[in-house]
Amino acid sequence: MLKHIVLLLTFFLALRPSYPRPAPYAMRISCGARDNIHSPPTNTLWFKDFAYTGGIPVNATRPSFITPALPTLRYFPLSEGPENCYIINRVPHGHYLVRIFLGLVAEPNFDNEPLFDVSIEGTQIYSLRSGWSNHDDEQAFVEAFVFLTDGSASLCFHSTGHGDPAIIAIEILEVDERAYYYGPDWGQGIILRTDRRLSCGAEKAKFGEDYSGDRWGGDRFWNSMTTFGQSSDRTTSTKNSIKKASNSPNFYPEALYQTALISTDHQPDLEYTMDVDPNRNYSIWLHFAEIDPSVTGVGQRVFDIVINGDVAFQDVDIVKLSGDIYSALVLNKTIAVNGRTLTITMHPTKGGHAIINAIEIFEVVLAESKTLPDEVKAMQTLKKALGLPLRFGWNGDPCVPQQHPWSGADCQFDSTRSKWFIEGLGLDNQGLRGFLPNEISGLHQLQSINLSGNSIQGTIPSSLGTITSLVILDLSYNFFNGSIPESLGQLTSLQRLNLNGNSLHGRVPAALGGRLLHRASFNFTDNSGLCGIPGLPTCGPHLSSGAKIGIGLGASVALLLICTCLTCWWKRRQNILRAQRIAARDAPYAKARTQFSRDVQMARHHGHENARTAAENGPSLLA
């Protein structure tokens, strides 16, 4: 019964429609370009270079035929800072091939050839060496396989003082999650920097797209290798199809296995030697397919593979291991190299000749741990608030790569969290003119801050009191104003406090003047408004904030009343003066009218008197 159920489930799964795998994410940027552009011969789309970084766009000089045919580049003069980065956002979580094409602003010479370091996601992966621009090969770009897990990609160029970094193009191409898996140490903490990728027997160098390769292969570049030198080999090729070529997770193009180098009777060993950096680990990938018509079955060609004198693979029989002729075989070995050379030898043990189709060599780089995100954010805010000059750079990660930390930032590693943090800020006498933001408290583990000798303005942020690890705080000789925050009294580890040479006022917090400063060095001089500790003026009665507000309001009301009374008095005085002026103007008329009124009154008075006398004497007169 169970057997029938399994068969039935298998039948239905077989009937289920299969959906094609989505296309891999691809971001290609033409540095310095103002518009999107398509490059020949494959009509590849390159996006315009917009708002990713600083630098200066100019017309490009291509150092190699490998370089895409793009007309512009972006270069980074040292005056804009030693660290310059492209920060590309909205990159999906995944495994990527990241490739950076180098450019030239002008024809290079010994004095102006750009020699700089390149880092990806805070890990330095390459240092350009003198003479790189004279080699028309894979030196035209820097490439690595890296996991991008935080939604962005950071690609930085670090000046060494010899020429200005110049970049023509950037590619970020998604590959299979398990591409180039080489063993248990492989994973997100590992970056594989491409050191060499050779197509043996090929006449021309080609990209994966030229090979019509699967896009999940990352459009790798394969440099042609027609001989290992000294007539030790010959080329061979085939047009037959190759089985097991473009398989997950690496998706090698079939054409890679259709050419090969074969050793000769004169020199039966096939040997390839290259220079490497000492004391590094290298992951070596060797590609084989039995395309020699003289070999038709198992046991006809057997050889050992020796790397730096040690047998890495013994009795390699391509037909046996791959399962057939014209069938791809990939062998991988990761080794530690102590010297400065890497030698790979195919030593025949049966059949007389060795064969190889392609070689890939990667340096295994341990990815740097990054700085705590909150601290990076705080440093970026500090950069804007203080108006840091361009020469500081302050781009990318403050602490990594370790070879290029931000100028003025001292970093320490937190082993418990595997992250870096900022331990000290030394930005004294740098001509800073901004203000100190509250966000500086995001640097939770600061032990030293020295911002002396600048022109920083504004108040001292009270948030400094939350950085309880502070041992040294030097803000002397700036233009800080306002009062000293009470919160600075919480800095129980403080040993040196310099606030002299500012415009501070008010009472020095009691905790600073008493408990802390008995064992600390401090300087409050040259602040004419400070008071409250020995060496400074005595403060007046201490008023609470509420009392100060009440006094202010009372004074305002009193002033308003005085102004109101003065206004009323002034208006009344004006009315009186106006009335007096009118009276003086009309005085003659008023005098005449007064005399006339008096005469009328006198006449009326005498008339009444006469009438009364006549009335009294009337009868006697009639008689």
Side-chain angles (χ1 to χ4, degrees):
M1 181 66 179
L2 180 61
K3 182 179 180 181
H4 292 305
I5 294 175
V6 173
L7 290 173
L8 188 62
L9 287 173
T10 304
F11 174 74
F12 281 117
L13 287 173
L15 291 179
R16 187 179 62 180
S18 60
Y19 298 97
R21 188 177 189 181
Y25 173 91
M27 169 61 75
R28 291 180 169 93
I29 298 173
S30 176
C31 300
R34 296 184 177 182
D35 300 293
N36 295 344
I37 189 170
H38 290 80
S39 63
T42 56
N43 201 38
T44 302
L45 171 63
W46 300 84
F47 290 100
K48 61 184 177 182
D49 179 16
F50 176 73
Y52 293 114
T53 187
I56 301 173
V58 295
N59 293 332
T61 298
R62 298 168 60 204
S64 169
F65 69 92
I66 299 169
T67 308
L70 300 172
T72 61
L73 59 75
R74 186 173 292 274
Y75 79 98
F76 304 94
L78 188 58
S79 59
E80 293 198 2
E83 276 73 56
N84 290 277
C85 302
Y86 271 81
I87 307 297
I88 303 167
N89 296 315
R90 295 190 295 275
V91 179
H93 181 291
H95 194 196
Y96 289 88
L97 179 151
V98 178
R99 186 160 48 215
I100 302 165
F101 285 97
L102 311 174
L104 297 169
V105 177
E107 289 299 324
N109 55 44
F110 177 80
D111 294 324
N112 67 8
E113 183 181 32
L115 304 180
F116 56 94
D117 296 338
V118 179
S119 68
I120 297 176
E121 291 294 288
T123 300
Q124 183 167 314
I125 64 167
Y126 199 69
S127 296
L128 290 175
R129 299 179 177 86
S130 180
W132 71 267
S133 59
N134 297 323
H135 298 287
D136 197 18
D137 56 14
E138 68 271 16
Q139 286 291 320
F141 63 81
V142 174
E143 177 187 287
F145 288 90
V146 60
F147 285 91
L148 301 177
T149 59
D150 59 2
S152 66
S154 172
L155 289 69
C156 298
F157 318 108
H158 311 276
S159 296
T160 61
H162 196 291
D164 297 323
I167 310 300
I168 285 183
I170 292 171
E171 290 184 287
I172 301 176
L173 308 175
E174 187 177 11
V175 296
D176 192 278
E177 281 285 334
R178 292 181 64 81
Y180 291 102
Y181 176 85
Y182 63 82
D185 294 335
W186 177 92
Q188 294 188 13
I190 294 295
I191 295 175
L192 290 180
R193 181 187 67 81
T194 305
D195 197 315
R196 208 63 53 96
R197 188 180 284 121
L198 307 173
S199 178
C200 301
E203 294 182 359
K204 294 182 179 179
K206 292 185 178 181
F207 286 92
E209 190 168 2
D210 301 322
Y211 278 127
S212 300
D214 192 301
R215 284 189 291 172
W216 280 97
D219 195 22
R220 290 156 293 196
F221 173 74
W222 300 89
N223 204 10
S224 60
M225 175 60 70
T226 55
T227 180
F228 289 156
Q230 298 179 351
S231 302
S232 62
D233 46 42
R234 60 181 177 86
T235 62
T236 187
S237 63
T238 184
K239 293 184 179 180
N240 292 338
S241 62
I242 305 296
K243 298 181 284 291
K244 300 182 180 180
S246 189
N247 290 344
S248 174
N250 292 342
F251 299 97
Y252 293 112
E254 179 186 23
L256 185 68
Y257 299 94
Q258 292 177 325
T259 63
L261 288 175
I262 301 178
S263 61
T264 63
D265 294 334
H266 173 72
Q267 179 63 49
D269 285 353
L270 267 179
E271 186 171 277
Y272 175 72
T273 299
M274 59 175 284
D275 295 332
V276 296
D277 292 326
N279 303 315
R280 308 287 177 89
N281 291 334
Y282 289 87
S283 187
I284 302 165
W285 298 72
L286 305 173
H287 300 263
F288 304 95
E290 191 54 81
I291 62 173
D292 184 358
S294 66
V295 176
T296 59
V298 174
Q300 297 180 24
R301 189 195 310 275
V302 181
F303 54 91
D304 294 338
I305 300 177
V306 181
I307 301 177
N308 277 6
D310 297 324
V311 176
F313 302 96
Q314 191 170 17
D315 296 330
V316 175
D317 186 330
I318 300 171
V319 178
K320 180 179 179 180
L321 294 176
S322 67
D324 201 354
I325 60 174
Y326 303 109
S327 184
L329 171 66
V330 182
L331 299 178
N332 166 245
K333 186 72 172 181
T334 300
I335 65 169
V337 178
N338 297 321
R340 293 186 174 275
T341 58
L342 175 62
T343 301
I344 304 169
T345 304
M346 277 64 65
H347 174 68
T349 58
K350 190 174 183 179
H353 302 102
I355 187 173
I356 190 167
N357 299 77
I359 299 173
E360 292 179 284
I361 299 172
F362 302 96
E363 181 186 342
V364 179
V365 181
L366 293 178
E368 292 265 20
S369 297
K370 296 184 179 181
T371 305
L372 290 164
D374 289 346
E375 303 232 338
V376 176
K377 184 178 180 181
M379 291 289 281
Q380 290 171 341
T381 302
L382 193 65
K383 171 186 175 181
K384 295 178 182 178
L386 291 178
L388 248 63
L390 288 175
R391 58 185 169 81
F392 272 83
W394 277 37
N395 296 305
D397 190 294
C399 299
V400 293
Q402 294 182 53
Q403 301 91 331
H404 300 281
W406 286 5
S407 177
D410 296 326
C411 299
Q412 286 292 330
F413 187 68
D414 185 344
S415 57
T416 59
R417 291 186 283 184
S418 295
K419 295 288 185 181
W420 291 87
F421 63 89
I422 311 299
E423 182 189 48
L425 284 176
L427 296 171
D428 52 306
N429 300 299
Q430 297 298 331
L432 308 181
R433 297 181 177 274
F435 65 95
L436 195 57
N438 276 310
E439 287 80 359
I440 192 173
S441 62
L443 304 175
H444 305 290
Q445 302 179 71
L446 273 176
Q447 295 188 27
S448 172
I449 299 177
N450 187 353
L451 298 175
S452 62
N454 289 292
S455 299
I456 303 171
Q457 303 180 23
T459 59
I460 297 174
S462 60
S463 63
L464 279 175
T466 65
I467 311 176
T468 55
S469 57
L470 267 179
V471 176
I472 297 172
L473 177 58
D474 192 343
L475 304 180
S476 59
Y477 298 106
N478 280 282
F479 293 100
F480 286 105
N481 54 41
S483 59
I484 299 175
E486 293 283 344
S487 62
L488 295 192
Q490 302 170 18
L491 302 178
T492 56
S493 299
L494 204 62
Q495 295 180 9
R496 187 167 81 235
L497 175 63
N498 291 338
L499 300 179
N500 52 301
N502 284 285
S503 301
L504 301 171
H505 61 78
R507 183 184 297 272
V508 174
L512 290 178
R515 176 173 57 86
L516 291 179
L517 298 179
H518 283 305
R519 57 184 176 84
S521 167
F522 63 96
N523 193 337
F524 296 127
T525 60
D526 297 328
N527 286 282
S528 58
L530 287 180
C531 62
I533 63 170
L536 296 178
T538 303
C539 296
H542 180 70
L543 297 175
S544 65
S545 299
K548 293 178 181 178
I549 293 173
I551 291 173
L553 290 175
S556 300
V557 172
L559 181 62
L560 181 62
L561 288 174
I562 291 172
C563 291
T564 302
C565 291
L566 287 174
T567 301
C568 293
W569 174 85
W570 183 82
K571 286 186 176 180
R572 184 176 181 184
R573 178 65 180 168
Q574 291 298 110
N575 289 338
I576 292 172
L577 291 175
R578 188 181 298 110
Q580 289 177 347
R581 286 196 297 271
I582 292 173
R585 185 177 63 248
D586 296 339
Y589 171 77
K591 183 177 181 182
R593 183 176 180 183
T594 302
Q595 184 63 41
F596 175 76
S597 298
R598 187 179 296 114
D599 292 342
V600 171
Q601 292 294 330
M602 290 294 293
R604 287 180 178 175
H605 175 72
H606 288 296
H608 286 303
E609 289 292 328
N610 291 334
R612 187 168 60 249
T613 304
E616 292 177 352
N617 299 324
S620 59
L621 290 175
L622 289 174

